[in-house]
Amino acid sequence: MSIVALHHVRKVYDTKVAVDDMSFTIGPGMMFGLLGPNGSGKTSTIRMMIGITVPDSGTVELFGAPFDRRALSRVGYLPEERGLYKKMKVVDQLVFLGQMHGLDAATASRRAHAWCERLQILESVQKRTEDLSKGMQQKIQFISTLLHEPELIIMDEPFSGLDPVNASLLQDTLEELRNQGRSILFSTHRMDQVERMCDQICLIHNSKLVLSGSMRDIKSRYPVNRVQVVFQGDDAFLAHAAVASVKRHNEHAEIVLRPSADNAGDAQQLLAFALAHGTRILRFELTEPTLEEIFIETVGTDHADFDTQSRMHRVVDGAAHA
Amino acid sequence: MHKVWLIAQREYLERVRTRAFLISTILIPVMMGAFVFGSFYLDKKSATTPQHVALVSADAPFALDLQQMLDADREAHILSDVISPPGPDTRPTLEHMLDDHGLDGYLWIDRLPSGELQFVYTPATSSPTVNGPVLAVLSTNVRTLLLRRGLIARGLGEGDVDGLTQPVRIDHGHHRPRSSLGAAFALFFLMYMVVVLYGMNVARSIIEEKTSRVFEVLLSTIRPEEMMAGKILGVGSVGLTQVGIWMLAVAALAATPFAHAAASGDMALTIGPAQVVFFVLYFIFGFLLYSSMAAALGAMTNSEQELQQLNMFLVMPLGFCMLMIPVVMNAPNSFWSRVVSLIPFCSPLLMNFRVSLSMPQPWEIGLSFVLMAVTILIVIWLASRIYRVGVLMYGKRPTVHEIMRWVKYS
């Protein structure tokens, strides 16, 4: 059974096509990443999954049945635009939102306290929300999404605006929830996060799905032809015949190898060449392309207008297209 | 339905607990009392300020007799000077005094060649509320004077004439309507304030959720229509609570001796049970009507400032009601009073005002509720459609064209 299934979903706002022919499924216990640059249609897709908007055509299924608002009690949703009632006390706020998701007040309060303890904000539960820092408010909203123990957790850009400590705290929490069998969908424009966390991904660009599947499948479609090198001394090896392009940051080089039947063999030769020229190799790693590289390769460099937070991997000479 | 209740409950508790609620509960009646009684007091005071009038006539005894009668008339409040006979520069001098406000008007009395008397009154102001009473007093006294002279000329004794021309006092202290004008005004302005205040509160509450983006979480648990309904119920209950507190306070005050002193004279604040019942009913309907309009306005805008610009849609119909006060007050049961008080946007204020002045026909009251109910359903239907699309729109304010499309959009 699929937890979420979209079939040829399309949504048009006035004249702008927000989502076009979108199809994917999320299985139980999956961590699913919805990826794409800003404005590519991630939020529009998510809003249709939780009935805030209705698709113009195509269908949305939740828990194996056509969309029904009653199923939403099994879903936890964290919108991209964070918001809480500023004047309300944290605990009142959480209890209210828990009740809106069908909990009784006592249960909501008990779980709210347990979560606040777990996320280290228990001392703030009696404070007014506006008196808290932005990061704390984010945690509270995160908790409000999980109070009713949803089977499906949908989070729109959950890590944006968080400091690294809190971001990893929330990542760990999400992975724990996934290990308990919950299905999790989150959107992000930061591909580096997804590499580590997601079982499945869906890449969207200009309202269209460009790539989807399990991380392992997608990566296995691409040759293992990237070499990460950290070195000292002579850099003559960067001009070796096996090298298609190089991106260099001081002593760190990211090499793309020329297409070949035996990338591993080419890499060995490259390493031998470097050692022969007296280069000190501190790190030499043969990898598959990163998701960002795959994305850029799929949609073309011109359209990769990521946020500044994102690490841009531009491939010199455009050789990646070769 | 349970969730509508939750939304309403949160809205209610969060508002009732605020300091603003406490302050407005105390300040609104104080301000309104000051407003109504202040205007009544000033009105009475200015009405008792004597009017300075010059009596100009070639017939000196006639003018002097008239002056004597005006002085004797305690209800007249007219201070008069006699100019007799008038010279060529009398009129320019008097006109000059009118301009300087040294004089409120002059009465020019001429005998025409036909022997008929001609009276011309020239006032300093064009205000009918100032000139009306003066003219009434002048014409009554002139008539009495002429009558006296005629009767004496026909051989009646002065004593008999005095007896015949004795002024008649008609006592008008016993109103048939169940409340005084003061109470009617008090209730009118109270209604105006609570409808505007709580209507705006609904709009503000929607904008708060829009700017804080809370509604997006809520929309994943509840329909926009239910959310709007919960808000209107919650905020409306706060209004009813406040009105309830005021009513109880009035009832408590009425039990004190002070109330007895206040409950006499023209300014008496006598409010019957019918007034209270109708006030609450018209408040509920008026609030539903205006708050659903406000909900639509709130959904269209992104900030308080933008809301201020659209405020006129709420305030205009209420302002129209204000303008209609004299129409209704002068003739509560006239055709036009009936028409304006049946306009659904005006009924809460004007029909309720008529209830206080002189009870309208039951069918009029019934019809006003039916018309309001129909209008409320239409406005709520429109507002919930605008709300549903509008709450998710940030950024620029929609054009009329776009709003029309939101209404059609399903």
Side-chain angles (χ1 to χ4, degrees), chain B residues 41-114:
Chain B
Y41 177 73
L42 288 178
D43 184 40
K44 252 196 133 56
K45 198 157 169 153
S46 68
T48 53
T49 309
Q51 294 277 305
H52 189 191
V53 174
L55 307 171
V56 188
S57 173
D59 182 354
F62 183 87
L64 287 169
D65 279 355
L66 184 56
Q67 184 184 34
Q68 202 183 357
M69 285 178 69
L70 289 173
D71 288 347
D73 188 344
R74 273 184 304 159
E75 309 244 307
H77 304 302
I78 289 180
L79 255 178
S80 51
D81 285 318
V82 171
I83 300 173
S84 181
D89 58 343
T90 305
R91 199 180 284 272
T93 312
L94 289 173
E95 289 291 339
H96 188 70
M97 286 175 75
L98 288 186
D99 291 341
D100 289 351
H101 301 291
L103 194 65
D104 293 307
Y106 62 89
L107 180 69
W108 198 284
I109 308 168
D110 266 332
R111 188 173 289 275
L112 297 178
S114 60

Side-chain angles (χ1 to χ4, degrees), chain B residues 9-58:
Chain B
Q9 190 188 27
R10 193 202 75 85
E11 204 71 44
Y12 181 83
L13 290 177
E14 286 299 311
R15 273 166 204 286
V16 168
R17 281 181 196 156
T18 58
R19 202 167 295 142
F21 177 77
L22 186 70
I23 292 171
S24 67
T25 304
I26 296 168
L27 272 190
I28 287 182
V30 169
M31 268 163 44
M32 205 179 47
F35 191 39
V36 171
F37 286 108
S39 69
F40 262 77
Y41 177 73
L42 288 178
D43 184 40
K44 252 196 133 56
K45 198 157 169 153
S46 68
T48 53
T49 309
Q51 294 277 305
H52 189 191
V53 174
L55 307 171
V56 188
S57 173

